[in-house]
């Protein structure tokens, strides 16, 4: 009987000791995986405009990240030129091609989950430049005698713009590993100033009447979001861009998070 009581006492003491050890030294739990703080992306919808682009995003903390983007458009036809020039005006530019670059600095503020996931709003700065090839421009000169002459000119120029804007969007992780990313640019717009110079030169001597008609012809071109002035001389015209510079942003980017 005494042996049984002593055995029960020993078992009870062992159980109490084990329970205390568990309280003082609990079983280690699996540590949470550290957040992946870097994302590289490309805006796939921009390729419709020949815009090859790359973006790097670095999360600073849960709600704030910094996005740096670069895009370039190799020399080629002006995308959707017919959408802002009528058919008659478009025919005046026989072989116009452009190339362009842009650089964007974009801090992002996330709401919700964070660390690169969820809805965000992003104020941003953008630098843009556009350069043309050596293109041909024609205009119809109509003197007082009623006979129409087609005057050929050769043009070339470039312009640069600085602008600031705001974009709202949402970014999602597409798999369980949270390394495939979809970035939806819902809507963005920017506004700033642009400066540039374009020259049109002709082998034909332009008298004052011809210069006046050329000036009016260029001023009547309905180019959106851009303000410019026209100066003419006996050799052609100079077009100075100096005014508002605006643009819109929207699209879908795919990326990898690490």
């Amino acid at each position: 009987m005494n042996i049984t009581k002593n055995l029960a006492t020993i078992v009870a003491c062992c159980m109490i000791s084990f329970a205390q050890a568990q309280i003082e030294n609990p079983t280690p739990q699996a540590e949470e995986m550290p957040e992946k703080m870097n994302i590289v992306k490309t805006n796939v919808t921009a390729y419709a405009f020949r815009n090859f682009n790359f973006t790097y995003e670095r999360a600073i903390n849960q709600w704030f990240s910094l996005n740096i983007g670069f895009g370039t458009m190799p020399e080629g036809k002006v995308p959707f030129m017919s959408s802002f020039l009528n058919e008659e005006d478009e025919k005046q530019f026989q072989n116009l091609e452009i190339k362009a670059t842009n650089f964007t600095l974009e801090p992002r503020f996330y709401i919700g989950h964070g660390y690169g996931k969820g809805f965000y709003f992003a104020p941003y700065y953008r630098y843009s430049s556009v350069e043309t090839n050596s293109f041909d421009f024609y205009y119809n000169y109509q003197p007082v005698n009623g006979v129409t002459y087609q005057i050929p000119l050769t043009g070339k120029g470039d312009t640069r713009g600085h602008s600031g804007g705001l974009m709202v969007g949402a970014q999602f992780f597409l798999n369980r590993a949270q390394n495939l990313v979809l970035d939806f640019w819902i809507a963005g717009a920017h506004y700033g100033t642009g400066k540039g110079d374009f020259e049109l030169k002709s082998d034909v001597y332009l008298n004052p009447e011809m210069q006046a008609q050329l000036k009016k012809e260029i001023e009547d071109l309905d180019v959106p979001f851009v303000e410019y002035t026209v100066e003419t001389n006996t050799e052609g015209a100079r077009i100075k861009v100096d005014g508002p510079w605006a643009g819109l942003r929207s699209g879908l980017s795919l990326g990898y998070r690490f």
Side-chain angles (χ1 to χ4, degrees), residues 92-97 132-137 153-157 198-200 239:
Q92 293 179 279
F93 298 91
Q94 294 296 307
N95 56 348
L96 174 63
E97 294 187 349
T132 75
N133 65 332
S134 181
F135 63 93
D136 297 319
F137 178 83
L153 299 100
T154 301
K156 188 176 177 61
F198 296 86
E199 285 191 336
L200 294 170
I239 304 162

Side-chain angles (χ1 to χ4, degrees), residues 29-35:
Q29 301 293 322
E31 294 184 1
E32 291 186 4
M33 293 294 292
E35 291 288 345

Side-chain angles (χ1 to χ4, degrees), residues 185-220:
W185 300 356
I186 298 173
H190 50 272
Y191 183 86
T193 60
K195 289 183 179 293
D197 281 289
F198 296 86
E199 285 191 336
L200 294 170
K201 291 194 173 183
S202 177
D203 293 332
V204 178
Y205 177 86
L206 303 181
N207 61 39
E209 185 182 2
M210 298 167 76
Q211 292 179 43
Q213 286 196 21
L214 176 60
K215 178 178 170 64
K216 185 177 187 306
E217 191 82 14
I218 298 172
E219 289 177 340
D220 287 346

Side-chain angles (χ1 to χ4, degrees), residues 9-200:
T9 301
I10 292 171
V11 172
C13 289
C14 289
M15 292 179 65
I16 292 171
S17 298
F18 178 76
Q20 288 178 338
Q22 289 295 97
I23 294 173
E24 294 174 1
N25 302 292
T27 302
Q29 301 293 322
E31 294 184 1
E32 291 186 4
M33 293 294 292
E35 291 288 345
K36 300 170 183 177
M37 308 293 277
N38 307 283
I39 303 174
V40 291
K41 296 172 284 188
T42 185
N43 180 3
V44 294
T45 53
Y47 290 96
F49 302 91
R50 288 196 331 277
N51 189 330
F52 301 96
N53 60 93
F54 172 83
T55 301
Y56 170 70
E57 180 176 357
R58 169 71 181 182
I60 307 302
N61 55 35
Q62 182 174 355
W63 56 268
F64 178 73
S65 72
L66 187 61
N67 223 51
I68 300 174
F70 174 79
T72 182
M73 178 190 296
E75 190 170 293
K77 297 293 184 182
V78 181
F80 307 106
M81 186 173 177
S82 58
S83 64
F84 55 88
L85 287 181
N86 61 46
E87 185 176 354
E88 184 177 343
D89 290 340
E90 189 176 356
K91 288 180 180 178
Q92 293 179 279
F93 298 91
Q94 294 296 307
N95 56 348
L96 174 63
E97 294 187 349
I98 64 169
K99 60 182 179 181
T101 59
N102 65 75
F103 170 80
T104 307
L105 184 63
E106 177 186 299
R108 287 187 171 188
F109 299 88
Y110 283 89
I111 55 177
H113 185 277
Y115 290 111
K117 180 181 180 181
F119 285 93
Y120 61 83
F121 63 94
Y124 65 89
Y125 160 78
R126 169 166 282 197
Y127 166 79
S128 306
S129 68
V130 180
E131 183 179 343
T132 75
N133 65 332
S134 181
F135 63 93
D136 297 319
F137 178 83
Y138 297 87
Y139 89 100
N140 293 321
Y141 168 57
Q142 297 176 328
V144 291
N145 62 11
V147 179
T148 300
Y149 301 92
Q150 191 174 70
I151 306 298
L153 299 100
T154 301
K156 188 176 177 61
D158 62 80
T159 185
R160 290 166 174 77
H162 300 269
S163 54
L166 178 66
M167 185 171 71
V168 294
Q171 189 157 265
F172 309 95
F173 303 151
L174 300 178
N175 60 344
R176 291 188 62 183
Q178 299 188 355
N179 55 7
L180 298 181
V181 176
L182 174 66
D183 187 4
F184 177 27
W185 300 356
I186 298 173
H190 50 272
Y191 183 86
T193 60
K195 289 183 179 293
D197 281 289
F198 296 86
E199 285 191 336
L200 294 170

Side-chain angles (χ1 to χ4, degrees), residues 212-230:
Q213 286 196 21
L214 176 60
K215 178 178 170 64
K216 185 177 187 306
E217 191 82 14
I218 298 172
E219 289 177 340
D220 287 346
L221 294 173
D222 188 17
V223 181
F225 305 122
V226 178
E227 288 190 4
Y228 56 90
T229 57
V230 183

